[in-house]
Amino acid sequence: MDFELSAAQRELQARARALAETHMAPRAAEIDRTEAYPWDNVERLRAAGLLGMTIAKEFGGQGLGYLEALLVIEEMAKHCGASARIVVETNMGAIGAILKYGTLAQRKLAADLVLSGDKPAICITEPGAGSAATDMTTRADKRADIYVLNGRKHWITGGGVSRLHLVFARVFDERGAEQGIGGFILVRHPQLNTPKGLIIGKREPALGLRGIPETELIFDNLEVPADMLLKPQRGLRHGFGELMDAYNGQRVGAATVALGLAQGAYEKALTYANRREQFGRPIAEFQGLQWMLADMSIALEAARALIWKAACSAPPGGFPDAALAARAKILAADTAIKVTNDALQIWGAAGYSRDNPLERYLRDARMFTIAGGTAQVLRTLVASSILGRKLPQTRDGYLTEDLGRPDMRRDKQSAPSRAKVRT
């Protein structure tokens, strides 16, 4: 695989770097301190053509690939994690799912919103359904030409800020029979205080990446037009897995934010080590710190190579390979935590101060082993891939898939009832 960037890719990377250094870096600490959504940065990103880069030209985008988007994301994350996440979610994730599976009207609606500066919100997680996404209880009941949504989502990135939402819910027909899990396209109009039945709940006081709100969303008899149901190719009964394939792109994007945070911290540590003197010489001359810097650079290069490989695995109009995306996110997230921590150590007491960005990098990096698939769940996904078999996590799943051991069998009638969507 050739990782040599083209002239156009290098030019895009340089433009993103200049924007991040000139505008994002000076604002990053204030965004973190005030926890205010960076609308000014969004406008700069929009004006620079860095939102919706992966949207097809027929819908007003540039039709670029994942790798081009990742080049921009890393440059942003080196200075401002919140701005980097906005680039992720305007180029992959919910917008990717809609562009892949949506009707012409749905795709145009989503593209127009994103290109105007909106950051879509993908709404999956619930208080009782995190890693076990199919345990979700939010439901959508068919009523003639509408669906009525009731339920509660939690840790929704951009809640109260985003206009475009992709809401996952259990779908029931007019007779009350469950059809599967589907995604509903929901558009919020802040000026009109609509739609009725959408309640923006509690905002979580997050450890890091504070410029983008993490909130709960409550649906109270919220009416959604039936034509806003996103229908995957395999239908609702089996389509949840297809919709979740869009998350492979989101994971590669998240991995790149983690990488960018780590790269930014490393670069600052390298500069500081050459400048800071103790015992009459720069601390970069001490072997212990030299080895720390060497290990940091090795980990960064390895993570970047895996991220780019995952990005390049996406076919035209498709999503990255699930196992590659999982590997990339695992390695990048672990690397980000280690590198930002070591960079702070090299800065010593100065790194521990909020007057410098190292402590912010460390806090921002911590989320990436949790959000978008925990490191443990993604390791199970990788294990499933290399073993060539499903590895169900429910107790019933393991018992019923046991290889015939008499002591592990359970009478099906005695097993607790679980209404699951099989994907």
Side-chain angles (χ1 to χ4, degrees):
M1 179 177 293
D2 183 10
F3 281 161
E4 184 67 28
L5 297 179
S6 68
Q9 289 170 331
R10 289 195 300 271
E11 190 274 333
L12 175 64
Q13 186 181 48
R15 281 199 298 117
R17 182 180 301 125
L19 180 64
E21 290 175 350
T22 303
H23 296 290
M24 279 51 178
R27 288 271 288 117
E30 182 184 4
I31 291 168
D32 178 71
R33 179 180 57 81
T34 63
E35 303 189 16
Y37 190 71
W39 289 110
D40 54 337
N41 286 358
V42 172
E43 177 54 29
R44 289 189 175 96
L45 290 167
R46 188 203 62 77
L50 303 180
L51 303 183
M53 291 178 286
T54 57
I55 294 174
K57 292 182 179 180
E58 64 181 295
F59 297 110
Q62 301 175 56
L64 298 179
Y66 281 101
L67 182 56
E68 285 78 10
L70 300 185
L71 296 176
V72 175
I73 293 164
E74 182 178 346
E75 293 302 325
M76 294 298 146
K78 284 160 62 175
H79 300 283
C80 178
S83 297
R85 289 193 77 195
I86 290 168
V87 179
V88 171
E89 294 176 20
T90 56
N91 282 287
M92 48 201 73
I95 184 64
I98 296 171
L99 291 176
K100 173 72 173 179
Y101 301 117
T103 64
L104 181 62
Q106 289 172 342
R107 286 179 284 165
K108 187 176 186 310
L109 171 68
D112 287 348
L113 285 168
V114 168
L115 292 171
S116 70
D118 184 55
K119 184 209 77 62
I122 189 164
C123 308
I124 301 175
T125 303
E126 298 182 0
S131 296
T134 53
D135 282 351
M136 68 178 63
T137 59
T138 297
R139 60 183 290 150
D141 292 277
K142 185 75 181 296
R143 301 284 186 268
D145 59 350
I146 65 169
Y147 282 92
V148 179
L149 268 64
N150 284 281
R152 183 185 302 263
K153 298 294 182 180
H154 200 199
W155 285 99
I156 303 306
T157 305
V161 170
S162 301
R163 293 189 62 199
L164 178 65
H165 300 71
L166 182 58
V167 181
F168 287 79
R170 311 189 86 85
V171 182
F172 295 82
D173 65 18
E174 292 172 301
R175 298 172 299 170
E178 184 172 354
Q179 303 298 296
I181 293 179
F184 290 85
I185 299 170
L186 170 65
V187 178
R188 186 177 70 93
H189 298 278
Q191 295 82 3
L192 302 177
N193 197 29
T194 60
K196 182 180 179 181
L198 172 61
I199 301 168
I200 309 299
K202 176 190 174 185
R203 176 172 177 167
E204 290 292 341
L207 173 70
L209 292 164
R210 294 172 175 173
I212 304 179
E214 301 282 351
T215 68
E216 66 175 353
L217 297 182
I218 302 164
F219 310 112
D220 183 12
N221 289 324
L222 171 65
E223 296 183 358
V224 180
D227 61 5
M228 286 294 101
L229 173 60
L230 189 64
K231 296 181 180 178
Q233 296 169 349
R234 297 175 62 200
L236 292 176
R237 181 59 60 182
H238 301 287
F240 181 62
E242 286 186 326
L243 292 176
M244 287 300 290
D245 282 345
Y247 229 84
N248 297 335
Q250 185 94 351
R251 284 171 177 157
V252 174
T256 307
V257 179
L259 170 66
L261 291 167
Q263 181 69 36
Y266 164 75
E267 291 176 4
K268 286 178 172 53
L270 184 61
T271 299
Y272 187 81
N274 280 307
R275 184 182 75 231
R276 171 68 167 169
E277 291 191 1
Q278 288 289 278
F279 304 101
R281 55 179 173 153
I283 62 174
E285 294 184 7
F286 293 99
Q287 188 179 62
L289 298 190
Q290 293 169 2
W291 286 1
M292 288 174 66
L293 290 166
D295 286 344
M296 292 159 75
S297 71
I298 293 167
L300 288 167
E301 289 295 331
R304 185 174 295 107
L306 196 48
I307 289 170
W308 286 16
K309 181 177 181 181
C312 293
S313 71
F319 307 115
D321 176 79
L324 286 177
R327 288 186 178 102
K329 185 171 179 292
I330 291 166
L331 181 59
D334 286 348
T335 295
I337 291 173
K338 180 69 165 61
V339 169
T340 56
N341 190 61
D342 284 349
L344 190 152
Q345 184 70 21
I346 289 172
W347 273 60
Y352 196 69
S353 170
R354 283 182 289 172
D355 285 338
N356 293 309
L358 277 300
E359 61 87 29
R360 187 181 75 245
Y361 285 126
L362 180 62
R363 287 187 288 105
D364 286 354
R366 190 60 188 84
M367 75 159 290
F368 291 100
T369 60
I370 301 172
T374 67
Q376 289 70 35
V377 164
L378 293 184
R379 282 179 166 87
T380 299
L381 188 157
V382 172
S384 179
S385 172
I386 62 179
L387 290 172
R389 57 179 291 192
K390 288 187 177 182
L391 301 175
Q393 298 303 296
T394 63
R395 179 170 298 176
D396 290 344
Y398 270 110
L399 291 175
T400 56
E401 291 199 1
D402 184 72
L403 300 177
R405 285 176 53 192
D407 60 319
M408 293 295 287
R409 292 175 185 164
R410 176 187 283 186
D411 188 311
K412 291 184 179 180
Q413 296 300 318
S414 64
S417 176
R418 286 178 175 262
K420 295 277 189 188
V421 175
R422 300 296 180 185
T423 60

